Amino acid sequence: MQYTDYLAASLSELQQALAEKTVTAVELAEFALRRITEADKSRYNAITWLFADEALAAAQESDRRRQHGGHTGRLAGIPVLIKDNIEVKGWPTSAGSVVMREVIATQDAPLVQTLRNEGAILIGKTAMHELAAGITGASSLSGFTHNAWVEGLSPGGSSSGSAVAVAAGYVPLAIGTDTAGSVRIPAAFNGLPGLRMTRGALSTQGIVPLSPTQDIPGPLARSAQDLRLATEILSGRVFAEPNESLRIGFWQEGFAPQETEINQCVRKALAPFMPQDVSWPQLASLAAEANIIAWEFADALAGWLVDKPQAKYHTLPEIAASGLYHPQLETVLKTRAQHPGTDSDSYPQVQQRQEALYLQLEQFFTHQQINLLAFPVVRHPPVRLGELQEGSNALISAVTGAPAISLPAGLSTAGYPIGVELLALRGREDLLLQAAEEIERATGHI
């Protein structure tokens, strides 16, 4: 395998090359580090922390085990990047914030340990929207990450660097987190599949919290098959092929009211599956009313920082008062720092709204005789860096706890990718992964 082959290789292709000894784990790590050195600072700005020596040492050990017939694992020798809000022992957990750059993890998050157990070669951490509190990638630590397809456009967020790193050829797999679309939006803007699993399906231990109710980690990969493998590894489950056909409903209110290129692209991508049009005018407003982030953010962050002596500040009000954050976070930090939080009488009410909305979602699926609800991940194009992004539909999955997947639907005439989201009922990741593979076969890779 040559360097140019690595830049677009799938996990299965890399696994085969390693098994056939046409490449070594050390060579793959060197390919990843070379790509980052050549392209990151000059173009993408997707990496916050790089640990080349540690990665090469791990790759050498992986090659040694393979040579001597030891246990290798399903990701043995594969370079992987981790979002900067996930703890990796001995590495900073700065969550895109200058005030947290000195916080060093004392242990691996469970998902990181899972990746290590499967032989993954961890090479560094990816840039993100500061404290995961937004979807444009603004960070006081690293600035903005650029869209992998069109320089100067937003990559989406908050898992900005994870998506760009995969799309730009750094690694075949990166891990992000999703609280209100933070895996699916960057997946859509960078032409990748990205999955948010059912609430509680993956551990959030060792992840800087934004909303414990809505937070969940998730994989970003280059293909539906790669996404399936990553999901099965992270969850410890095998997703059998579902014994049912795809019955897709186009959520009409999820599309822009005027006809747009995004609308047309999403409809065209799913046309072979003959979706039916369905309407639920109140869904977006119900999802917004059930969004629990504002209640949980300050309390959850303070709880995480309480035993982090290296942190410069230990509460959200202290961080908001410091002024040491990206200017784009001014409103969100100061507003949420003053929120009454989980002690508020309204907190149980918003929890009840989430469960009530999920029950309505179940009834809606039954009434419409669908098993997937489809719509653009974001109704509007990615903005220029520094502008605020609008038009996200990704909140529905987050507040209901239902799983959702973002899939490439095609390219705009301006050259940026367009993503379609499929929403399923809880526990139906099998259906989403099957749909991803069928849609990828029907549309081809963008």
Side-chain angles (χ1 to χ4, degrees), residues 208-210 296-308 313-319:
V208 181
L210 176 62
E296 295 185 337
F297 184 17
D299 290 347
L301 184 61
W304 189 82
L305 287 169
V306 70
D307 62 351
K308 306 295 186 298
Y313 303 100
H314 289 85
T315 69
L316 189 59
E318 289 174 359
I319 295 172

Side-chain angles (χ1 to χ4, degrees), residues 174-430:
I175 307 301
T177 63
D178 190 310
T179 306
S182 290
V183 162
R184 291 161 290 146
I185 294 169
F189 282 1
N190 293 281
L192 302 172
L195 178 67
R196 176 190 172 94
M197 295 189 72
T198 300
R199 180 178 294 170
L202 296 176
S203 171
T204 57
Q205 183 181 341
I207 298 175
V208 181
L210 176 62
S211 165
T213 297
Q214 293 178 199
D215 295 339
I216 192 168
L220 291 135
R222 290 183 181 147
S223 69
Q225 184 181 36
D226 285 1
L227 193 70
R228 176 185 289 276
L229 175 61
T231 301
E232 291 185 343
I233 287 172
L234 292 174
S235 66
R237 297 173 57 193
V238 175
F239 296 95
E241 183 174 335
N243 187 26
E244 59 185 292
S245 60
L246 305 183
R247 303 189 308 278
I248 302 173
F250 274 139
W251 175 43
Q252 292 301 286
E253 292 78 16
F255 291 75
Q258 70 281 8
E259 192 56 27
T260 67
E261 191 174 22
I262 292 174
N263 288 1
Q264 293 167 357
C265 191
V266 168
R267 288 186 177 279
K268 182 179 179 182
L270 297 190
F273 303 92
M274 295 182 291
Q276 66 182 70
D277 289 339
V278 298
S279 176
W280 187 351
Q282 302 83 15
L283 180 55
S285 60
L286 289 171
E289 291 169 0
N291 186 2
I292 209 165
I293 295 173
W295 280 261
E296 295 185 337
F297 184 17
D299 290 347
L301 184 61
W304 189 82
L305 287 169
V306 70
D307 62 351
K308 306 295 186 298
Q310 314 104 313
K312 189 170 290 188
Y313 303 100
H314 289 85
T315 69
L316 189 59
E318 289 174 359
I319 295 172
S322 75
L324 298 175
Y325 48 79
H326 192 282
Q328 207 176 85
L329 277 80
E330 176 89 14
T331 299
V332 68
L333 292 189
K334 290 192 171 180
T335 300
R336 290 178 178 170
Q338 298 170 1
H339 197 280
T342 56
D343 289 333
S344 167
D345 291 341
S346 57
Y347 181 56
Q349 296 172 8
V350 74
Q351 291 176 308
Q352 291 166 7
R353 284 186 209 130
Q354 292 202 346
E355 284 307 308
L357 182 56
Y358 180 71
L359 293 176
Q360 291 178 61
L361 187 69
E362 284 186 319
Q363 294 166 1
F364 182 75
F365 272 51
T366 299
H367 179 72
Q368 299 292 341
Q369 297 183 324
I370 60 173
N371 54 19
L372 294 170
L373 192 63
F375 41 86
V377 179
V378 184
R379 298 185 300 277
H380 300 166
V383 296
R384 302 296 302 180
L385 294 181
E387 297 177 355
L388 296 177
Q389 183 72 51
E390 296 181 344
S392 170
N393 287 320
L395 188 59
I396 300 164
S397 167
V399 301
T400 59
I405 197 167
S406 173
L407 299 172
L411 290 176
S412 72
T413 53
Y416 61 81
I418 293 169
V420 57
E421 181 163 332
L422 298 175
L423 177 76
L425 295 179
R426 292 178 184 174
R428 294 311 313 268
E429 284 83 357
D430 61 334

Side-chain angles (χ1 to χ4, degrees), residues 53 66 75 98 116 161 169 173 190 230 275-276 288 293 364:
D53 291 345
R66 188 181 296 274
L75 292 175
V98 293
R116 290 195 197 276
L173 173 66
N190 293 281
Q276 66 182 70
I293 295 173
F364 182 75

